[in-house]
Amino acid sequence: MKTCGGDVMAYNVLLFSDPGIDDSFAIMYALLNPDINLVGIVSGYGNTPKEQSIKNTAYLIDLAGREDIPIIAGAAGPLSGEPVQFYPEIHGPEGLGPIKPPESLQKVEVHDINKILEIINEYKDNIIIVNVGRLTELALMFILYGNNALKNVNAFYIMGGAFLVPGNISAEAEANFYSDSIASNIVMEKAHNIYLYPLNITNKAIITPDVIDFLSTNSPTPFRPLLKPAFEYYFKAYQKNVPGIKGAPLHDVVPLMALTNPEFVKYIPKRVRVEEFGNAKGKSIADFRPKPDPEPPETLEYIGMEADIQKFVINFMEVFLKGDYEKN
Ligand code: BDR
Ligand code: CA
């Protein structure tokens, strides 16, 4: 799964995202982490409209001087065709808190969805998909190209779901699964080797303002000026929704960190299904009874149920302090 780019062994990662503030932290983390070779970023609707999500991705790539990374336009809405709800109160009117990407970025080249297959074929059997946005684009790959479309992907690292704990967008559901519950169920059924990062652990992946203050002064990366304003906007929203919270959860950094630090998360293998309609729309379901019904091994997902949060904070700081942003 790891490839040799120069002297550095790194995972080839195709990232699906909807930036969004925690997505933006995830993109920055991926760009800075020497163990990750970003081979493309799919940007679709979710926290913001698709066009805005593309602009935000282009801005981060430009800041890092990594215009070589292809940007792929994702979907504009869910498979159900329902209208999309965006979240400016959490992520800002344009998805980066108070920050506006410069107008000059309008001319960036953006690929269509076929580019995803091209990239997968280029890195055949040596590529990981990390999905931190809605699941629409991944489900579309199966719909457009058939059940074997993604067979050359080694593994899928997905932020989504909430098991036996409250949701964050409804009583039962986590936002990525809820916003396209049909797509989420398709992906759980059709993709193989899924590692899932639900709210059970991502809600605990909290970064506090003192950490951001420190990085805002000391991070040698081109992202330094963004860190504090983007984080503060997001943290304020969390303070309103979760009174007493000490920091803000950076959900979308978790799967990337788990990929490059395998000991960071502990998994339970279970078959996962997603409720498609009704009051429990988007709810992730797995059998947690002491004696669950037997399921064939190939249907099991690895659900991350415990994470070492101290390690999360330390690794996050390490990457933003020593990030090798000129890696290529
Ligand atoms: C997930 O939903 C999105 O709004 C966040 O970016 C994250 O991917 C958390 O439920
Ligand atoms: Ca996201």
Side-chain angles (χ1 to χ4, degrees):
M1 273 195 303
K2 278 185 149 189
T3 195
C4 212
D7 294 330
V8 185
M9 297 283 281
Y11 291 100
N12 296 319
V13 169
L14 176 57
L15 183 65
F16 289 59
S17 66
D18 59 333
I21 293 177
D22 61 329
D23 297 77
S24 298
F25 273 98
I27 293 172
M28 294 187 268
Y29 177 89
L31 286 162
L32 295 171
N33 186 331
D35 293 331
I36 292 176
N37 177 37
L38 258 183
V39 297
I41 305 182
V42 182
S43 293
Y45 82 98
N47 295 317
T48 63
K50 156 184 160 173
E51 293 72 20
Q52 195 59 51
S53 144
I54 291 170
K55 273 188 206 161
N56 294 340
T57 298
Y59 181 38
L60 297 172
I61 278 183
D62 178 73
L63 281 175
R66 292 298 313 274
E67 294 86 347
D68 58 299
I69 298 173
I71 301 176
I72 299 133
L79 296 183
S80 65
E82 284 166 349
V84 188
Q85 193 188 338
F86 302 112
Y87 297 92
E89 67 285 10
I90 299 175
H91 295 275
E94 298 180 55
L96 279 174
I99 298 160
K100 284 184 197 311
E103 289 298 320
S104 55
L105 289 170
Q106 308 276 0
K107 293 171 217 104
V108 159
E109 185 186 6
V110 179
H111 300 266
D112 68 24
I113 199 162
N114 295 319
K115 182 75 180 174
I116 295 175
L117 269 197
E118 206 181 289
I119 292 173
I120 290 171
N121 289 334
E122 185 181 342
Y123 293 94
K124 203 171 174 197
D125 300 326
N126 192 7
I127 183 165
I128 305 285
I129 285 184
V130 177
N131 192 313
V132 296
R134 309 328 190 201
L135 283 289
T136 315
E137 294 85 4
L138 269 186
L140 273 174
M141 297 307 291
F142 293 107
I143 294 169
L144 289 171
Y145 302 111
N147 285 351
N148 286 329
L150 301 179
K151 68 174 190 309
N152 296 327
V153 174
N154 297 68
F156 296 80
Y157 282 59
I158 296 173
M159 192 281 129
F163 296 89
L164 313 175
V165 295
N168 60 355
I169 201 166
S170 74
E172 298 279 11
E174 179 281 326
N176 286 340
F177 275 17
Y178 175 90
S179 303
D180 196 338
S181 53
I182 301 173
S184 304
N185 201 35
I186 290 176
V187 172
M188 289 305 114
E189 288 304 299
K190 294 195 189 294
H192 57 276
N193 229 358
I194 295 181
Y195 292 80
L196 200 56
Y197 303 89
L199 293 180
N200 304 64
I201 54 174
T202 68
N203 264 342
K204 296 179 188 152
I206 284 183
I207 293 295
T208 48
D210 56 320
V211 168
I212 296 294
D213 283 347
F214 185 79
L215 294 178
S216 298
T217 314
N218 296 297
S219 171
T221 75
F223 305 122
R224 191 171 51 79
L226 269 62
L227 304 179
K228 198 171 160 84
F231 178 85
E232 275 181 350
Y233 193 100
Y234 184 71
F235 180 37
K236 273 197 189 119
Y238 266 92
Q239 281 175 308
K240 266 195 200 152
N241 291 339
V242 188
I245 196 166
K246 300 275 183 294
L250 296 183
H251 306 276
D252 291 347
V253 176
V254 173
L256 291 158
M257 194 180 292
L259 171 65
T260 54
N261 300 269
E263 71 299 342
F264 158 53
V265 173
K266 290 201 170 58
Y267 302 90
I268 299 181
K270 294 212 175 280
R271 182 170 192 168
V272 175
R273 292 188 176 87
V274 181
E275 197 66 48
E276 295 188 12
F277 306 103
N279 287 336
K281 177 186 149 185
K283 179 183 169 123
S284 45
I285 300 165
D287 193 344
F288 281 92
R289 291 175 296 174
K291 286 195 174 173
D293 292 337
E295 295 282 3
E298 65 278 9
T299 65
L300 302 179
E301 277 73 57
Y302 298 94
I303 310 177
M305 290 296 277
E306 264 180 60
D308 181 340
I309 299 306
Q310 209 181 347
K311 201 167 270 172
F312 178 78
V313 178
I314 291 170
N315 179 263
F316 179 82
M317 291 187 76
E318 278 170 359
V319 168
F320 278 85
L321 282 173
K322 289 196 217 141
D324 175 13
Y325 61 89
E326 277 169 1
K327 74 190 158 112
N328 199 343

